[in-house]
Amino acid sequence: QVQLVESGGGLVQAGGSLRLSCAASGRTFSSYAMGWFRQAPGKEREFVAAISRNGVRTYYVDSVKGRFTISRDNAKDTVYLQMNSLKPEDTAVYYCAANLVHSNYSLGFRIDQYDYWGQGTQVTVSS
């Protein structure tokens, strides 16, 4: 089992920034590619960003590219999502997820590729 705990959500004005953290425990963190997803009320969960095992490769949904940055610190078993220039449309519950892969370069953007999920952290962007 892998346990994931998100933190860092909150209320921010449009144009502001937040940094989300996801702390992992239970298995070897570096064996997993990691991802961030989000879900707004009444909408399906959507992919936001992913990062490969060693952090060298990243991928973002078009709506956040250039504003959000995913990173990881394998020594701390933690993945981050730095969110800048936030917009009201970014309001959602943000979830981190772990994807067991077997290369340093693999990553995924589909929900069914991920094996473990955190409980989420609320991000609210006001206008």
Side-chain angles (χ1 to χ4, degrees):
Q1 284 283 351
V2 172
Q3 293 80 45
L4 304 172
V5 180
E6 302 96 335
S7 63
L11 175 65
V12 65
Q13 292 184 349
S17 298
L18 285 173
R19 189 193 195 200
L20 306 184
S21 298
C22 175
S25 62
R27 285 201 175 186
T28 303
F29 180 67
S30 60
S31 296
Y32 294 86
M34 299 294 296
W36 287 95
F37 294 75
R38 66 187 180 186
Q39 187 167 24
K43 298 181 67 177
E44 71 275 9
R45 193 181 307 166
E46 68 170 345
F47 170 79
V48 177
I51 189 166
S52 60
R53 293 196 317 194
N54 62 0
V56 72
R57 183 164 294 183
T58 59
Y59 183 70
Y60 301 89
V61 67
D62 286 346
S63 61
V64 309
K65 193 169 185 176
R67 299 188 297 121
F68 291 11
T69 302
I70 188 171
S71 62
R72 67 191 296 162
D73 186 342
N74 286 352
K76 296 182 178 179
D77 291 350
T78 302
V79 63
Y80 305 94
L81 186 68
Q82 178 67 48
M83 305 185 295
N84 298 326
S85 301
L86 282 162
K87 304 174 180 179
E89 65 198 73
D90 296 317
T91 295
V93 177
Y94 283 71
Y95 299 89
C96 68
N99 175 15
L100 182 63
V101 296
H102 301 286
S103 85
N104 282 328
Y105 311 105
S106 298
L107 47 77
F109 58 88
R110 298 198 315 271
I111 291 173
D112 63 5
Q113 293 178 298
Y114 287 81
D115 303 288
Y116 301 100
W117 295 82
Q119 291 189 340
T121 186
Q122 177 71 48
V123 172
T124 302
V125 184
S126 65
S127 60

